[in-house]
Amino acid sequence: MAVDELDTRILRLLLEQPRTSVREYARILGVARGTLQARLDRMEREGVITGTGPSLSAAALGHPVLAFVHIEVTQGHLDDVGDALAAVPEIVEAFSITGGGDLLARVVGRDNAHLEDVIQKLISLPGVVRTRTEVALRERVPYRLLPLVESVGRATARG
């Protein structure tokens, strides 16, 4: 979906001021509330906006250790292992990947010992051949989409 300049401004506001009302967004942007709501509805329908919930911090929830775990899976067991990963609360995200491994999981732990316990749980899952873990030391670029939104908006404006 192409986003235009108004969509870009709307998305920027949603990211920068997520707790503001639709009425206030419309006032800030100088557009009718109905126009703004129609744009929001369209972007939700087309999958640009995928949620409106709060962003949470695993570290603030007592899980400050972050690791990326590459998981090699026995052929034909990818779906089963994926389903099993979904049952492990410390796995906050997992993707099928190419390259070194079949799955990549973002895993959090209370400390290094807890992380090791979680990894041992992963290794014991049926269909898991081996894992390789990389512990994150410091976040250098937090998850963000605003620069991409602005880039897409500029490219659309240029035509």
Side-chain angles (χ1 to χ4, degrees):
M1 178 201 140
V3 296
D4 63 16
E5 191 267 335
L6 178 57
D7 292 335
T8 300
R9 291 174 50 217
I10 292 168
L11 293 170
R12 172 184 275 286
L13 271 178
L14 287 175
L15 292 169
E16 292 178 344
Q17 300 177 35
R19 297 176 62 121
T20 303
S21 69
V22 171
R23 180 177 303 174
E24 182 62 10
Y25 287 144
R27 187 195 66 72
I28 292 169
L29 295 169
V31 298
R33 185 184 176 286
T35 299
L36 178 67
Q37 189 62 59
R39 294 286 186 119
L40 290 170
D41 292 344
R42 178 181 51 81
M43 287 189 282
E44 284 180 13
R45 202 173 42 253
E46 294 182 4
V48 173
I49 298 172
T50 59
T52 57
S55 296
L56 305 178
S57 166
L61 291 169
H63 290 69
V65 178
L66 171 64
F68 299 92
V69 180
H70 297 261
I71 304 167
E72 188 177 322
V73 176
T74 304
Q75 280 191 326
H77 290 86
L78 193 60
D79 289 339
D80 296 334
V81 172
D83 292 343
L85 294 179
V88 179
E90 296 86 357
I91 295 179
V92 296
E93 213 172 17
F95 300 92
S96 299
I97 61 169
T98 63
D102 300 299
L103 295 165
L104 178 64
R106 181 187 301 248
V107 182
V108 296
R110 293 186 300 272
D111 52 34
N112 287 345
H114 179 232
L115 177 63
E116 182 183 10
D117 292 343
V118 174
I119 293 166
Q120 291 302 319
K121 186 185 302 185
L122 299 181
I123 291 169
S124 71
L125 293 174
V128 172
V129 175
R130 74 177 50 89
T131 65
R132 182 174 53 87
T133 302
E134 299 165 350
V135 176
L137 300 176
R138 180 182 299 159
E139 183 177 65
R140 298 294 180 165
V141 178
Y143 181 83
R144 77 242 170 94
L145 287 177
L146 185 55
L148 178 63
V149 167
E150 291 175 338
S151 173
V152 169
R154 282 191 302 272
T156 303
R158 284 193 299 266

